[in-house]
Amino acid sequence: MKTVSQIAYDNLKYHKSKNILTGIAIFLTTFLLFIVPTIGKDIIDAQYEMVNEIYPEWYGSYADIDINTVHSVSAHYDIGTWGLQSDVGVIPVKDVSGEVKFSMIYMDKNGVDLSKQTLAEGRFPEQENEIVISKILLEMLGMEGQIGDTITIPYQLIKDGGYDYKEEGNFVISGFLEQENAATVFISEPFLQEKLSEEDISYQFLFQLGNVEHATTDNVEDTINEIAKQFEISEKNIVINTSYLEANYVDPAFLQIVIVILIIVVFAGIITIYSIYYVSMAQRVQEFGRLKAVGATKRQIRQVVLREGMFVALCAIPLALLFGTLMTRVILLLFVNILEGNGNLSVAITKEIIAEHKIAFFHWWIYLLAIVVTLLTVYLSLLKPMKMAGRVSVIEAMRFQGNTGRNMKSRKGYDEIRIGRLAKNNIFSNRKKSLITILSMSITGVFIMVVATVLSCTSPELITNTDFNGEYAIIPIVQSGDKEHPEWEWTEVQKNNPLNEELEQKILALDGVTRVDMFSMVDVGGGLFEEEDYGEDIIGLPKEYAKELEDGIIEGSATWEDLMSGDKVVIDDTLVRWYPELSVGSKIQVTIHDNDRDYEKELEIIAIGDYRGGLTNYNCMIMAKEAADSLVSYNVNRYAFVFADKEYDEALENALFEIVGEDEMETGLEMRAKQTDYKLNKTMFQLVNSVCYIFLGILSVICIMNLINTMINSVNVRRKEFGMMQAIGMSDGQLQKMLFAEGLFYTLGTLIVSVGAGSLLGYGAFLWAKSEGILGIRTYQYPVTIAIIVVITLVVVQAFLVLMLGKSVKKESLIERIRFHE
């Protein structure tokens, strides 16, 4: 076996070009197998470290429960440490954007510990008149104070499910909060008991589970939900601290994602390495025949092929791991820097954790995983070539004439020799080799097109346009249950709605405004929605959206005239998911809330459609605006969308802010800009796109090795043939054209399969993602840029390869080429 190893070692140098390509493929495969789980693990570890620094430690909480339920739940055998929180009221404060409400809460000691509430100085309140507050809130209230000082602050208690009338109280400052908790103030249990009746006091039960050292996040969540069922706690009152659980327990979803990515990398590596060896096997028939002739067994010949591949792997794997080790921290910081611009506190803390080496960047098991999986990949890739080599007989080797698949006698002849015919003759002399090359490259191309399609359908532009009409949205302030501001109740807003014709004319008079679309909304309850805590509302669309409404219908039919009747509606298919008994033709009894008057009405469903959030504003029943307005007595305009001749115009935005007013509480209006939403969506998708395209780019390089190997192998095998053809008159230019024609065949074949099949499968992936609601995908967008990049890349690589191979052939004299014998 020592001789076998020596032969395999010598073959490394003899078949240098093939082994260099194989080494590059193994290098990139190993790099991906190492870097993907390493970066994923490190980012998740950094996020988990951030979570453990700033997130609360409770696993779950049960909201809106009374003290009797607290006693019962706390005695459950699965409940470990637990604490209480109770929302007592709010402190209303005016700032430049209007009124802000600061939470006023009580927490017991365990609740404070589980929620990681810390003080900059002082202690938590114990006496009835003590309070913990932030210095920022004191400044907003126009006050100053130190620990022990008495301050007078306004507050609204939470009673009967809403905010009670404003009152003032004198409090002694017992402590100051850290700045990040500025939006909260803490009061004592005596204050809670004194100010609220037993009926008005509700608790949030914060807890950890016991005996979950080896649990998964799914097991913990199942236990939390099961306990809630035992005590008849509503599902809507269950809050699970998912971030903390994922940071401290095994997340099955993460393992599944890693496994899928590794399988893709392994598959790409296998088809590439297999293709490289398969294409080169034919030219080595005589080599294996000679070994057979001197006594080598089938097993020994197979071992020659295997050890040759393993020697290449042993050279490539350490280099890939070293490169991956050097790149890990650079890539981590690059990813965090991409997200840092959004000013998110958690991102800033994550960057600090990475920069200060608070987590372990490298994990021994990932090194071991990369090595083992790469070696397994190489072994699986070589199984077929090993069998092919072992089956070569001495007689077959003696008869072999250097052609790549069929005997020379079977090659078709022509009366007239042309470049195209020569290229075609070579390509089809071994159809299997050509087919394997095209398919192995196309598999990655198809995968790229599918992923690119999904990513293009989740672009920040599409997501923003899905949820937004025009460039600006002006909305009346609507809040329910605030006794201090009864004018913010929707029933009161309707009586003096600021979204009126006068406002519309003011906006239309501004330079740059092209149109203003008013959407109305009618409050509906009763009937089908009677058992819900909320009613489905009817959205009234302006006529400008009639075509979009009709185009979105997936079942039934509706015209604008139908929706003007006032008793027919189109429903969004989301409503059918909640109420599967609904269908076209169904009639539903609803209660129309017309301010202080309610009345019953029957609505007929004439069509079901699939609509974006910007059209329905996430309501499920749709009418023409005139019909919706006719159902009530007052102005029910709920959204005003402003269209402008520019996507962003600072002067126009300032003019709109002047109309809305600096004090939102006085005007009753608030404004959103599409540009702001776009920036938030853009930040969210930048990292995802960067990671995916870098990954796909490396996969592409792996599979381009197939084209390079096929072309190099074809030239090496046919040097003698090229020499003879040039001896009888073929010019260097004609040789280049023939090689270009052969390469173009592989390129075009790969493009037809990759772009063609990839586009079809990509559209299927879009339909699946849309139906499942994945990533908010609703609009199909063909990845034109990626398709062009794939085409240009393959053509450029092929042209460059032909140029280099042509030069390499011309370096040898005709005599050297004619004498060439593999």
Side-chain angles (χ1 to χ4, degrees):
M1 296 304 288
K2 185 176 181 181
T3 303
V4 171
S5 297
Q6 185 62 48
I7 294 172
Y9 178 75
D10 291 338
N11 282 341
L12 289 178
K13 294 177 286 185
Y14 190 73
H15 301 290
K16 183 169 62 176
S17 61
K18 171 184 69 68
N19 287 319
I20 287 175
L21 292 175
T22 304
I24 294 173
I26 295 174
F27 174 90
L28 294 174
T29 300
T30 308
F31 176 71
L32 284 179
L33 289 172
F34 172 78
I35 206 69
V36 169
T38 297
I39 294 298
K41 179 78 166 65
D42 290 348
I43 288 179
I44 290 174
D45 283 351
Q47 290 178 331
Y48 290 169
E49 183 69 21
M50 176 272 297
V51 167
N52 283 325
E53 283 190 16
I54 65 176
Y55 275 56
E57 295 181 346
W58 45 267
Y59 298 176
S61 74
Y62 300 137
D64 196 23
I65 62 175
D66 56 33
I67 191 63
N68 293 326
T69 307
V70 167
H71 293 323
S72 300
V73 175
S74 62
H76 193 279
Y77 57 86
D78 277 330
I79 298 294
T81 304
W82 60 274
L84 294 178
Q85 172 183 325
S86 181
D87 295 330
V88 182
V90 295
I91 298 176
V93 182
K94 283 188 178 181
D95 68 358
V96 293
S97 62
E99 184 174 271
V100 179
K101 286 180 166 57
F102 285 69
S103 299
M104 197 176 189
I105 67 174
Y106 157 72
M107 274 190 179
D108 65 5
K109 184 179 183 307
N110 284 345
V112 168
D113 293 339
L114 290 172
S115 299
K116 286 190 174 177
Q117 298 291 344
T118 57
L119 301 182
E121 54 181 309
R123 59 175 175 78
F124 281 94
E126 297 174 358
Q127 304 301 318
E128 181 181 334
N129 64 338
E130 290 182 334
I131 193 172
V132 165
I133 198 168
S134 67
K135 292 186 177 180
I136 294 176
L137 178 53
L138 278 180
E139 291 176 7
M140 294 179 69
L141 290 169
M143 302 178 185
E144 293 182 355
Q146 300 297 326
I147 292 178
D149 290 349
T150 300
I151 57 173
T152 302
I153 59 174
Y155 61 87
Q156 292 175 260
L157 296 173
I158 298 176
K159 292 184 176 181
D160 301 324
Y163 299 130
D164 202 5
Y165 295 106
K166 186 189 298 183
E167 54 186 292
E168 290 187 343
N170 295 323
F171 295 91
V172 176
I173 301 174
S174 67
F176 285 108
L177 287 163
E178 300 281 358
Q179 184 171 344
E180 57 266 24
N181 294 326
T184 305
V185 298
F186 288 89
I187 52 84
S188 64
E189 185 177 14
F191 181 89
L192 170 71
Q193 300 291 345
E194 173 65 25
K195 293 294 182 177
L196 296 181
S197 65
E198 185 175 342
E199 291 77 17
D200 285 324
I201 297 177
S202 66
Y203 291 99
Q204 187 172 347
F205 183 81
L206 315 173
F207 62 93
Q208 292 182 340
L209 298 177
N211 303 318
V212 287
E213 289 82 0
H214 305 291
T216 66
T217 53
D218 288 348
N219 291 337
V220 173
E221 292 181 15
D222 289 343
T223 303
I224 292 172
N225 290 324
E226 183 59 34
I227 294 173
K229 287 182 181 178
Q230 293 176 22
F231 294 97
E232 298 182 348
I233 296 173
S234 172
E235 186 176 335
K236 69 180 182 180
N237 290 333
I238 303 172
V239 179
I240 296 176
N241 192 357
T242 305
S243 297
Y244 182 79
L245 293 181
E246 290 177 349
N248 293 277
Y249 295 97
V250 178
D251 182 11
F254 169 70
L255 294 178
Q256 292 169 5
I257 292 172
V258 170
I259 290 172
V260 168
I261 292 175
L262 294 183
I263 289 174
I264 292 171
V265 174
V266 168
F267 184 65
I270 288 175
I271 61 176
T272 302
I273 298 169
Y274 165 73
S275 178
I276 291 173
Y277 270 87
Y278 175 84
V279 169
S280 64
M281 287 306 293
Q283 75 181 87
R284 299 178 65 180
V285 169
Q286 289 186 342
E287 173 190 332
F288 298 133
R290 294 189 195 106
L291 291 175
K292 278 280 185 74
V294 298
T297 65
K298 287 185 178 181
R299 182 177 182 278
Q300 288 173 324
I301 292 176
R302 289 197 294 264
Q303 284 296 310
V304 169
V305 176
L306 177 62
R307 293 187 186 191
E308 182 182 340
M310 288 301 175
F311 283 153
V312 176
L314 292 177
C315 295
I317 289 174
L319 292 176
L321 294 178
L322 176 61
F323 182 67
T325 301
L326 295 175
M327 291 298 295
T328 295
R329 189 167 180 271
V330 175
I331 296 173
L332 281 171
L333 290 175
L334 178 64
F335 287 163
V336 176
N337 286 333
I338 291 174
L339 291 175
E340 193 177 20
N342 65 3
N344 191 295
L345 175 63
S346 63
V347 174
I349 294 176
T350 301
K351 182 179 181 180
E352 179 184 330
I353 289 169
I354 294 172
E356 296 181 1
H357 297 267
K358 292 184 179 179
I359 60 169
F361 289 146
F362 308 109
H363 315 277
W364 66 267
W365 60 270
I366 294 182
Y367 284 93
L368 181 61
L369 177 70
I371 294 170
V372 171
V373 174
T374 302
L375 292 176
L376 179 62
T377 300
V378 174
Y379 176 75
L380 293 174
S381 305
L382 296 176
L383 283 177
K384 180 72 180 220
M386 288 163 57
K387 290 181 180 179
M388 292 170 61
R391 287 199 299 261
V392 173
S393 67
V394 177
I395 302 300
E396 181 183 0
M398 291 175 63
R399 290 177 176 175
F400 181 73
Q401 299 294 317
N403 192 31
T404 57
R406 299 191 300 175
N407 191 283
M408 289 290 288
K409 292 181 181 178
S410 65
R411 294 183 68 170
K412 184 178 180 180
Y414 296 99
D415 294 332
E416 183 181 354
I417 298 177
R418 296 176 184 171
I419 298 300
R421 286 176 174 176
L422 289 174
K424 177 184 175 183
N425 213 23
N426 176 61
I427 290 168
F428 289 98
S429 64
N430 193 329
R431 293 180 177 85
K432 189 174 181 181
K433 179 199 74 174
S434 301
L435 184 62
I436 287 176
T437 300
I438 291 174
L439 289 180
S440 60
M441 294 174 62
S442 298
I443 289 173
T444 301
V446 168
F447 182 68
I448 289 172
M449 289 301 297
V450 170
V451 174
T453 300
V454 173
L455 292 178
S456 68
C457 295
T458 58
S459 67
E461 295 88 352
L462 286 174
I463 296 299
T464 305
N465 290 333
T466 295
D467 290 336
F468 215 103
N469 300 308
E471 279 64 54
Y472 303 94
I474 298 176
I475 308 166
I477 297 175
V478 177
Q479 289 185 9
S480 179
D482 190 341
K483 292 183 180 179
E484 189 64 27
H485 292 284
E487 72 276 10
W488 291 347
E489 294 282 348
W490 178 231
T491 54
E492 295 299 315
V493 171
Q494 296 175 38
K495 296 176 181 178
N496 190 25
N497 195 334
L499 287 189
N500 50 35
E501 187 174 348
E502 180 183 353
L503 178 71
E504 182 178 358
Q505 294 305 316
K506 281 184 181 180
I507 296 173
L508 286 171
L510 298 176
D511 290 338
V513 174
T514 57
R515 84 174 201 247
V516 177
D517 292 342
M518 292 282 192
F519 286 64
S520 55
M521 192 186 77
V522 178
D523 190 14
V524 173
L528 188 67
F529 316 114
E530 192 165 6
E531 295 182 2
E532 301 294 333
D533 293 333
Y534 55 90
E536 285 301 328
D537 299 323
I538 297 173
I539 192 76
L541 299 186
K543 192 171 184 179
E544 288 81 359
Y545 297 85
K547 186 176 186 307
E548 182 178 353
L549 179 73
E550 293 177 11
D551 291 344
I553 292 174
I554 56 179
E555 187 178 345
S557 63
T559 63
W560 193 250
E561 290 69 26
D562 292 331
L563 297 177
M564 289 285 290
S565 65
D567 54 11
K568 297 178 181 178
V569 293
V570 174
I571 64 171
D572 190 273
D573 64 345
T574 304
L575 192 62
V576 179
R577 296 178 191 175
W578 294 338
Y579 303 101
E581 66 270 20
L582 295 180
S583 62
V584 174
S586 296
K587 295 184 178 181
I588 51 178
Q589 296 290 330
V590 297
T591 300
I592 304 293
H593 300 305
D594 180 15
N595 206 270
D596 298 326
R597 178 179 71 95
D598 292 346
Y599 67 93
E600 303 298 317
K601 187 170 183 62
E602 183 179 78
L603 301 175
E604 180 185 357
I605 299 173
I606 58 173
I608 300 172
D610 181 17
Y611 301 111
R612 61 186 178 91
L615 183 77
T616 64
N617 291 288
Y618 299 98
N619 295 286
C620 292
M621 292 188 288
I622 308 167
M623 280 186 183
K625 185 179 188 305
E626 291 84 348
D629 292 346
S630 68
L631 297 177
V632 292
S633 308
Y634 293 96
N635 180 353
V636 287
N637 288 338
R638 191 63 184 267
Y639 308 95
F641 292 104
V642 181
F643 289 77
D645 54 11
K646 296 179 183 178
E647 288 189 1
Y648 178 71
D649 185 337
E650 185 177 358
L652 175 58
E653 185 169 308
N654 291 333
L656 287 170
F657 269 122
E658 288 182 8
I659 291 177
V660 170
E662 293 185 2
D663 191 343
E664 293 182 350
M665 293 176 62
E666 292 184 4
T667 62
L669 293 171
E670 55 187 352
M671 189 177 89
R672 286 172 51 209
K674 179 180 179 180
Q675 189 72 9
T676 303
D677 286 12
Y678 168 74
K679 288 179 179 178
L680 292 174
N681 289 330
K682 184 178 180 181
T683 301
M684 180 177 64
F685 287 109
Q686 269 182 331
L687 180 60
V688 175
N689 288 355
S690 300
V691 172
C692 288
Y693 284 126
I694 290 173
F695 175 71
L696 293 176
I698 297 175
L699 278 184
S700 302
V701 174
I702 293 176
C703 287
I704 284 175
M705 297 297 103
N706 293 327
L707 175 62
I708 297 174
N709 175 71
T710 300
M711 295 294 294
I712 291 176
N713 180 72
S714 178
V715 170
N716 285 340
V717 170
R718 297 156 61 207
R719 284 182 186 175
K720 184 174 182 178
E721 180 181 330
F722 292 160
M724 295 176 67
M725 285 191 295
Q726 288 198 289
I728 61 174
M730 175 182 275
S731 66
D732 289 339
Q734 289 173 320
L735 177 61
Q736 289 276 73
K737 288 181 180 178
M738 185 181 72
L739 293 175
F740 183 80
E742 292 176 8
L744 190 61
F745 170 80
Y746 294 116
T747 300
L748 290 177
T750 301
L751 289 177
I752 290 172
V753 178
S754 298
V755 178
S759 299
L760 292 175
L761 291 175
Y763 186 72
F766 155 75
L767 294 176
W768 173 75
K770 180 181 178 182
S771 65
E772 296 296 323
I774 296 173
L775 298 175
I777 291 176
R778 297 189 64 85
T779 305
Y780 177 71
Q781 183 77 18
Y782 185 77
V784 177
T785 303
I786 297 301
I788 293 174
I789 290 175
V790 170
V791 172
I792 292 175
T793 300
L794 283 176
V795 171
V796 170
V797 169
Q798 183 244 334
F800 178 78
L801 187 58
V802 169
L803 182 64
M804 292 298 101
L805 290 175
K807 286 184 178 180
S808 71
V809 171
K810 286 188 289 184
K811 286 180 182 179
E812 297 178 334
S813 66
L814 288 178
I815 301 300
E816 288 174 326
R817 279 179 259 168
I818 292 173
R819 286 178 176 174
F820 175 78
H821 189 69
E822 178 68 23

